[in-house]
């Protein structure tokens, strides 16, 4: 039986998951890595540590498979292909000759280039950027992060122009290391998140490169999300393994949820929350500050390239809000405690937490918003705050859900969910209540890794097409809305009042900005 090895490189941990041909998890390995906050609003990773942890879990996963095969007295394991999915927008710049990063990776959550984005907005560049990239002008994306590195690292811009440096999002960094430095590539879904690619032409855009002063020589080659792009170096796993699938984590999760038809939507509850809806073969320009983005690119039965587009809304702080309660406030000892604590009170007591610790994403897009806790009284307990934290995750997602319906003109009938926090039943019920539609959790919630596996398996013949994949998707639990519509709308209106109080708080020259 062939397996697909999915490398799932996330914001806080690196994972490897092996799937069998039925889409079932056969082995898992995971390691966390350090988060660095050198200044308020800055978030960095050590790219070498990302690679070391990702390689370690990949090897651990294959070893677990080998042990399981030996116990069953079966033949040696066969890894048919590797699929890669990754935290998006995080920016790495490295030396092509040594393979060493020239600076820490700037994480997608990082806000250091907010002022640069405001400068570009004042210069009237936001409409140009949205028209070509489908993105809202924001420090979230890679372009201003790369521009900052080229400006701030001594000699970097000259070296980049000379072809001595390589830029990539995390997928490119992993591909480079997996292939021993022989392949510098990114797939269309990740390229779409850089703010440098024209999503309609699926190519790097010269006008955008000039705007951000990015040398073309530093960029990776854009390849399909499903298709063999290279092989792993033989010394990594003993034999070369085809790398055949690549997609940003949220696009991969959408694929893993089998959202293949226009109008199908999913929400992933991880460090952030990311809702994507398939819009078919065309990019829909948002009127509500959502993003138009490439979902994935593959081949149809005739071998022609086909591109699926999505509308997307991004919540920056979801699971990270629970981590803050655990690590920052030390209100809980482990993230798993929050469900019982929040369920110990019937409501929040009119307390609202707006987790704008890294600004606000869709539909507000306010890089200067900051975290706000309102409505506190002497009767407020940690249980009320815990419940407000879960409600904040669901309310932010409900904002995006409403914007998506208005943009698409499609009344969505359900929301498929995945990610670690989707296993929290209270959160899923709150989400159904506040979005006003059923929330559907699949049996396999590791859909990000599964999507990468499916993309790789389609390219190598493990699966024959989308119909076979869709047949493997199965429901674990369906959460029906219980909150009457007038109460739902009143709750959302009250939430929007709290959001207003968080906006525009950070200012230049003030400590903590």
């Amino acid at each position: 039986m062939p397996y697909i090895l999915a490398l799932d490189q996330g914001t806080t941990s690196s994972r490897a998951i092996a799937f069998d041909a039925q889409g079932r998890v056969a082995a898992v390995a995971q390691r966390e890595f350090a988060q660095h906050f050198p200044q308020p609003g800055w978030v960095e990773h050590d790219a070498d540590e990302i690679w070391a942890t990702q390689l370690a879990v990949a090897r651990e996963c294959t070893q677990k498979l080998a042990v399981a095969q030996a116990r069953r007295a079966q033949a040696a394991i066969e890894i048919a292909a590797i699929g890669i999915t990754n935290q998006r927008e995080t920016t790495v710049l490295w030396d092509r000759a040594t393979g060493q990063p020239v600076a820490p990776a700037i994480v997608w959550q990082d806000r250091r280039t907010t002022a640069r984005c405001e400068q570009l907005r004042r210069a009237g560049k936001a409409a140009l950027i949205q028209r070509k990239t489908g993105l809202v002008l924001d420090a979230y994306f890679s372009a201003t992060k790369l521009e900052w590195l080229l400006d701030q690292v001594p000699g970097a811009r000259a070296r980049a122009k000379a072809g001595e440096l390589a830029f990539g999002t995390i997928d490119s960094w992993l591909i480079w290391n997996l292939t021993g430095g022989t392949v510098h590539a990114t797939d269309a879904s990740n390229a779409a998140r850089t703010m440098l690619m024209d999503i309609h032409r699926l190519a790097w855009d010269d006008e955008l490169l000039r705007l951000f002063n990015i040398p073309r020589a530093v960029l990776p080659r854009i390849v399909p999300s499903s298709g063999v792009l290279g092989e792993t170096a033989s010394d990594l796993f003993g034999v070369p393994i085809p790398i055949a699938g690549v997609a940003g984590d949220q696009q991969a999760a959408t694929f893993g949820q089998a959202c293949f038809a226009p109008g199908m939507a999913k929400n992933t509850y991880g460090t952030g929350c990311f809702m994507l809806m398939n819009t078919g073969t065309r990019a829909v320009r948002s009127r509500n500050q959502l993003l138009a983005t490439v979902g994935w690119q593959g081949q149809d039965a005739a071998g022609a390239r086909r591109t699926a587009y999505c509308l997307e809304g991004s919540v920056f702080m979801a699971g990270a809000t629970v981590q803050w309660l655990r690590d920052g406030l030390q209100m809980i000892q482990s993230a798993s405690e929050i469900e019982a604590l929040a369920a110990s009170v019937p409501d929040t007591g009119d307390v609202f937490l707006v987790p704008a610790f890294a600004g606000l994403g869709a539909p507000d897009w306010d890089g200067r918003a900051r975290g706000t806790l309102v409505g506190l009284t002497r009767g407020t307990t940690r249980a009320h705050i815990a419940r407000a934290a879960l409600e904040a995750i669901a309310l932010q997602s409900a904002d995006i859900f409403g914007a998506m319906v208005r943009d698409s003109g499609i009344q969505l009938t359900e929301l498929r969910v995945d990610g670690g926090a989707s296993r929290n039943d209270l959160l899923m019920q709150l989400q159904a209540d506040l979005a006003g539609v059923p929330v559907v959790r699949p049996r396999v919630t590791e859909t990000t890794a599964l999507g990468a596996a499916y993309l790789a398996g389609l390219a190598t013949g493990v699966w024959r097409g989308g119909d076979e994949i869709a047949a493997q998707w199965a429901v674990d639990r369906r959460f029906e809305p219980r909150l009457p519509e007038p109460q739902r709308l009143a709750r959302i209106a009250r939430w929007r009042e709290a959001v207003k109080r968080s906006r525009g708080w950070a200012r230049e020259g003030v400590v903590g900005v």
Side-chain angles (χ1 to χ4, degrees):
M1 177 186 295
Y3 295 96
I4 300 291
L5 181 62
L7 306 185
D8 183 358
Q9 205 300 298
T11 307
T12 58
S13 70
S14 297
R15 297 193 303 163
I17 304 180
F19 293 94
D20 65 17
Q22 282 70 50
R24 298 173 301 203
V25 175
V28 181
Q30 179 172 356
R31 293 191 188 183
E32 292 190 0
F33 55 88
Q35 309 291 304
H36 302 281
F37 310 98
Q39 295 185 36
W42 291 29
V43 188
E44 295 180 347
H45 289 160
D46 180 338
D48 282 329
E49 186 182 10
I50 285 177
W51 165 239
T53 55
Q54 190 65 77
L55 178 61
V57 294
R59 286 172 166 167
E60 182 182 342
C61 195
T62 58
Q63 289 166 0
K64 287 181 177 180
L65 279 179
V67 169
Q69 291 283 85
R71 285 175 180 166
R72 294 193 294 264
Q74 293 179 340
I77 62 168
E78 177 194 348
I79 305 294
I82 286 176
I84 296 171
T85 185
N86 54 283
Q87 55 166 315
R88 304 172 303 173
E89 299 94 17
T90 295
T91 300
V92 187
L93 186 65
W94 68 93
D95 186 307
R96 289 183 184 273
T98 66
Q100 294 300 304
V102 301
I106 303 180
V107 180
W108 59 272
Q109 298 165 318
D110 189 283
R111 307 305 301 173
R112 75 185 66 180
T113 59
T114 295
R116 171 60 170 150
C117 291
E118 291 171 346
Q119 180 188 53
L120 289 165
R121 190 172 291 109
R122 288 192 299 270
K125 301 300 182 183
L128 165 72
I129 289 169
Q130 185 182 34
R131 185 175 70 252
K132 292 197 173 194
T133 70
L135 306 178
V136 173
L137 174 55
D138 192 79
Y140 173 30
F141 305 106
S142 308
T144 56
K145 301 181 195 299
L146 176 56
E147 181 185 43
W148 188 93
L149 286 170
L150 293 174
D151 287 339
Q152 298 300 318
V153 176
R157 189 172 297 283
R159 296 189 65 205
K161 288 180 179 177
E164 297 176 10
L165 300 184
F167 150 74
T169 44
I170 295 298
D171 58 312
S172 299
W173 174 241
L174 295 181
I175 291 166
W176 176 275
N177 283 285
L178 285 166
T179 61
T182 62
V183 178
H184 183 207
T186 187
D187 90 296
S189 75
N190 277 294
R193 312 299 297 189
T194 62
M195 217 154 62
L196 297 171
M197 186 184 84
D198 184 325
I199 62 170
H200 311 286
R201 295 188 299 109
L202 299 171
W204 302 122
D205 186 83
D206 287 330
E207 188 174 8
L208 295 174
L209 294 179
R210 287 193 298 271
L211 179 64
F212 295 103
N213 197 14
I214 305 296
R216 183 175 281 271
V218 81
L219 300 174
R221 175 170 55 97
I222 299 173
V223 300
S225 310
S226 182
V228 176
L229 60 89
E231 293 184 332
T232 62
S234 298
D235 61 332
L236 295 182
F237 303 104
V239 295
I241 301 173
I243 303 170
V246 185
D249 51 8
Q250 303 314 316
Q251 290 97 325
T254 309
F255 200 86
Q257 285 274 36
C259 292
F260 300 145
M264 298 183 73
K266 71 88 199 176
N267 199 24
T268 295
Y269 299 81
T271 301
C273 244
F274 300 89
M275 189 179 299
L276 275 75
M277 184 185 73
N278 188 324
T279 62
T281 56
R282 68 182 183 93
V284 173
R285 185 170 182 178
S286 174
R287 300 179 302 277
N288 294 280
Q289 298 205 92
L290 300 182
L291 310 178
T293 195
V294 174
W296 51 83
Q297 187 185 63
Q299 292 184 337
D300 61 18
R305 287 192 182 183
R306 291 184 60 84
T307 304
Y309 290 91
C310 294
L311 272 174
E312 175 176 340
S314 307
V315 170
F316 295 157
M317 300 291 290
T321 305
V322 179
Q323 288 179 328
W324 174 71
L325 293 182
R326 182 192 67 191
D327 302 334
L329 297 188
Q330 298 184 349
M331 285 178 48
I332 53 178
Q333 297 298 310
S334 66
S336 61
E337 294 175 25
I338 194 170
E339 182 173 4
L341 180 61
S344 68
V345 290
D347 54 50
T348 69
D350 201 35
V351 170
F352 285 85
L353 170 63
V354 183
F357 305 114
L360 288 170
D364 298 286
W365 291 107
D366 186 346
R368 297 193 181 279
R370 288 297 179 265
T372 307
L373 188 59
V374 297
L376 300 180
T377 68
R378 286 288 299 274
T380 301
T381 68
R382 68 189 188 104
H384 292 106
I385 295 173
R387 192 175 183 99
L390 292 187
E391 279 203 5
I393 297 170
L395 283 161
Q396 290 175 102
S397 295
D399 280 346
I400 292 171
F401 189 85
M404 205 162 272
V405 169
R406 293 191 298 273
D407 267 345
S408 67
I410 300 171
Q411 188 59 53
L412 305 180
T413 58
E414 69 175 26
L415 180 63
R416 295 185 174 187
V417 297
D418 54 65
S422 70
R423 292 188 285 271
N424 184 316
D425 288 350
L426 175 58
L427 174 58
M428 294 301 97
Q429 185 58 56
L430 289 170
Q431 189 66 82
D433 290 342
L434 293 167
V437 296
V439 165
V440 186
R441 183 173 63 201
R443 289 181 189 170
V444 177
T445 56
E446 301 292 357
T447 52
T448 301
L450 182 58
Y454 280 149
L455 289 166
L458 284 171
T460 51
V462 175
W463 293 286
R464 292 183 295 275
D467 290 345
E468 185 177 356
I469 289 171
Q472 294 183 351
W473 189 89
V475 175
D476 169 57
R477 182 168 172 182
R478 186 179 179 91
F479 298 84
E480 297 288 343
R482 299 173 184 168
L483 195 64
E485 185 68 1
Q487 293 181 35
R488 183 181 80 86
L489 294 176
R491 193 69 179 157
I492 290 174
R494 189 69 165 152
W495 157 254
R496 295 306 306 173
E497 289 183 45
V499 170
K500 287 180 184 177
R501 284 160 170 76
S502 76
R503 299 197 61 171
W505 182 260
R507 293 184 175 90
E508 295 294 340
V510 178
V511 174
V513 178

